[in-house]
Amino acid sequence: MSFDYDLFVIGGGSGGVRAARVAAQAGAKVALAEEDRYGGTCVIRGCVPKKLMVFASEYSGMVGDAQAYGWDIKPGAFDWDAFKGKLHGELDRLEGIYRGILKNNGVESFDSRARLADAHTVELADGTRKTAKHILIATGGWPTVPEFPGSELAITSNEIFNLEKLPETILIVGGGYIASEFAGILNGLGVRTTQFYRGEQILRGFDEEARSVIAEGMREAGVDLRVNINVTAMRQEGGKIRVTDTNGEEHLFDQVMYATGRAPNADNLGLEELGVERGKGGEIVVDQYSQTTVPSVYAVGDVTDRVALTPVAIREGMAFVESVFKGNPTSPDHELIPTAVFTQPELGTVGLSEEDAAKQEAIEVYTASFKPMQQSFAGRAQKVLMKLVVSKASRKVLGCHIVAPGAGEMIQLAGIAVKMGATKEDFDRTVAVHPTMSEELVTLKTPVRST
């Protein structure tokens, strides 16, 4: 049977575009359909605009720091309109790059929603059908808001970048990395920010000690962070939103943002009719080679709900091409993935938390907590944490956790050592770079506790 294409990709985010490009470079005839903007969650409504907002928000403290260092700098107001214009200009530029990557590599693009008509056929929104030997689904994820009275008044991370003006007050509901990052961002931009989380501590799943340091730092910076609390109802009251919490108290906010979870974007794709298995959370179930229960259909990225990170989606897309188009069966490696959380203070982490490591074997824990020189001199330093979790038996570093300015930059490099299986003694015999925060990672001599 002849097909229109060797590969048809549904979804123009990082994973889908990378798979399309690499497959085309390998000689495959490739097409891709995207119903929204090219670049996906990361470029258009995730990592990139969020990080630019992080940068913008961090300048709020720099004037005071510069004054402490002797600079005659006067504070001013943040101009949301000026920033937003540049932000969306940058997103337009990046989307153009994604479109250019596809065009320059001979990938045919369709600005259209697409769904599966059968195991080898994709149907576009206008009814046009295209056939392909292989179909790759890379449609990502989407923020969800639980249903309760007034829930329709909430915005999500999708809308936060498009606000006409910054609110004076905002409630952010959620305790994960998205909620906690935006609490720091908006607080830094001068918005009076409250964060509600129904659990005991934000950033569930990360190292307990690191979570505590971050929560303390957020409160020091001015975020009204409240735990063991949730929203029961909301209603519009003039230009504000009246929120009722689980304690029966009421609050008024200009905006309420929900960041309580994301769902795989896999509905209405024709999966059920075709027999593609989906999991309890709606994710597309795949094997180690990203193949679904229908042999010609594959899926990568957040829609599979394996590890919802852009670099992971890219790796999965490349492994798919290696397996299907280059005859080299390759399973994406999901072990020891370095991760940054751009809270304020920032977190960088790789490997096991102290709690998870202690469940599997005897460990030693090495930590250093201090105020960094640059900010301490200026009189506004938050606590920094450097932490290594070490196996007693093998002496391997099982986990590295950094809470500090630039933690994301540091963990990328520490992640190489941990991925290679470095031992505590390997860290010890590495000469410190002085004076830096990260030198503490190689000067931790005595464990603070062990199990």
Side-chain angles (χ1 to χ4, degrees):
M1 179 179 177
S2 62
F3 300 100
D4 296 327
Y5 304 99
D6 300 307
L7 171 65
F8 198 107
V9 180
I10 302 177
S14 299
V17 168
R18 178 63 63 90
R21 174 176 70 81
V22 178
Q25 289 174 343
K29 186 178 182 183
V30 183
L32 181 147
E34 169 57 55
E35 67 174 326
D36 195 1
R37 299 186 64 180
Y38 287 66
T41 295
C42 181
V43 171
I44 302 302
R45 50 190 170 269
C47 330
V48 172
K50 176 191 69 182
K51 189 66 183 291
L52 292 171
M53 286 185 75
V54 169
F55 289 144
S57 68
E58 289 177 335
Y59 281 101
S60 61
M62 290 185 180
V63 171
D65 285 359
Q67 290 172 338
Y69 276 88
W71 286 93
D72 183 16
I73 296 177
K74 306 301 180 189
F78 174 69
D79 187 335
W80 171 248
D81 289 336
F83 170 75
K84 189 172 72 168
K86 285 204 69 174
L87 173 67
H88 287 284
E90 177 66 3
L91 302 187
D92 291 344
R93 185 185 72 84
L94 293 172
E95 182 181 12
I97 288 174
Y98 269 65
R99 287 180 177 273
I101 286 171
L102 296 173
K103 181 179 179 180
N104 294 338
N105 285 280
V107 177
E108 187 173 0
S109 298
F110 298 95
D111 292 350
S112 170
R113 181 170 178 80
R115 67 189 307 276
L116 299 175
D118 62 43
H120 292 283
T121 305
V122 170
E123 183 177 9
L124 303 178
D126 63 1
T128 302
R129 293 193 169 197
K130 301 291 183 179
T131 60
K133 185 176 182 181
H134 305 285
I135 298 170
L136 177 66
I137 302 172
T139 47
W142 204 255
T144 60
V145 178
E147 290 189 12
F148 61 90
S151 60
E152 71 279 0
L153 299 173
I155 63 171
T156 69
S157 56
N158 280 1
E159 294 80 41
I160 196 74
F161 307 110
N162 298 310
L163 294 175
E164 285 191 20
K165 64 176 183 178
L166 277 184
E168 292 183 10
T169 61
I170 192 168
L171 169 65
I172 297 177
V173 182
Y177 72 92
I178 295 174
S180 301
E181 287 173 336
F182 276 105
I185 288 168
L186 291 164
N187 176 66
L189 294 179
V191 179
R192 294 199 303 278
T193 304
T194 302
Q195 183 179 354
F196 282 5
Y197 178 50
R198 66 183 181 180
E200 295 284 339
Q201 182 60 281
I202 60 170
L203 299 174
R204 181 170 61 88
F206 292 94
D207 184 85
E208 289 271 354
E209 188 174 11
R211 295 164 69 195
S212 296
V213 172
I214 293 166
E216 178 185 347
M218 289 174 65
R219 290 187 175 108
E220 285 179 7
V223 176
D224 183 6
L225 172 58
R226 308 184 191 188
V227 296
N228 296 312
I229 191 171
N230 206 349
V231 174
T232 59
M234 301 193 303
R235 70 176 187 271
Q236 194 76 50
E237 190 169 299
K240 296 183 181 292
I241 300 171
R242 183 170 290 277
V243 174
T244 304
D245 67 30
T246 46
N247 297 323
E249 296 180 356
E250 295 187 344
H251 319 262
L252 278 176
F253 298 99
D254 295 318
Q255 290 279 5
V256 177
M257 173 183 162
Y258 260 73
T260 51
R262 294 177 63 84
N265 194 18
D267 291 341
N268 303 313
L269 291 177
L271 303 178
E272 290 77 12
E273 297 89 333
L274 198 58
V276 174
E277 182 183 354
R278 294 178 66 182
K280 291 181 180 179
E283 73 277 11
I284 297 176
V285 176
V286 294
D287 67 10
Q288 62 180 324
Y289 301 111
S290 298
Q291 189 174 38
T292 73
T293 47
V294 175
S296 60
V297 180
Y298 294 75
V300 297
D302 292 5
V303 76
T304 67
D305 199 27
R306 287 178 283 183
V307 180
L309 295 169
T310 296
V312 174
I314 291 171
R315 290 290 184 98
E316 290 171 356
M318 293 174 70
F320 157 76
V321 173
E322 284 289 328
S323 300
V324 175
F325 292 99
K326 297 186 179 181
N328 177 29
T330 302
S331 177
D333 184 357
H334 294 125
E335 297 298 318
L336 294 174
I337 297 171
T339 303
V341 180
F342 297 105
T343 42
Q344 299 179 37
E346 192 170 305
L347 169 67
T349 179
V350 63
L352 296 175
S353 66
E354 177 181 345
E355 294 71 38
D356 287 344
K359 290 175 185 175
Q360 71 176 34
E361 62 180 289
I363 60 169
E364 291 180 343
V365 177
Y366 297 79
T367 67
S369 185
F370 55 95
K371 292 185 175 182
M373 179 191 298
Q374 182 179 10
Q375 288 79 19
S376 182
F377 183 86
R380 69 171 189 103
Q382 291 182 333
K383 188 184 295 183
V384 161
L385 173 69
M386 301 283 170
K387 181 173 185 175
L388 297 178
V389 180
V390 178
S391 165
K392 279 186 178 179
S394 68
R395 302 300 296 159
K396 282 186 178 180
V397 176
L398 303 176
C400 176
H401 312 284
I402 302 172
V403 180
E409 302 290 347
M410 287 186 256
I411 205 64
Q412 178 69 83
L413 302 181
I416 298 171
V418 175
K419 185 72 172 176
M420 291 178 68
T423 64
K424 178 64 171 64
E425 286 65 36
D426 290 327
F427 274 67
D428 290 345
R429 69 169 185 259
T430 302
V431 175
V433 178
H434 182 74
T436 65
M437 291 179 286
S438 57
E439 69 179 300
E440 295 291 336
L441 293 175
V442 300
T443 60
L444 297 168
K445 299 304 180 187
T446 306
V448 296
R449 53 188 170 272
S450 61
T451 62

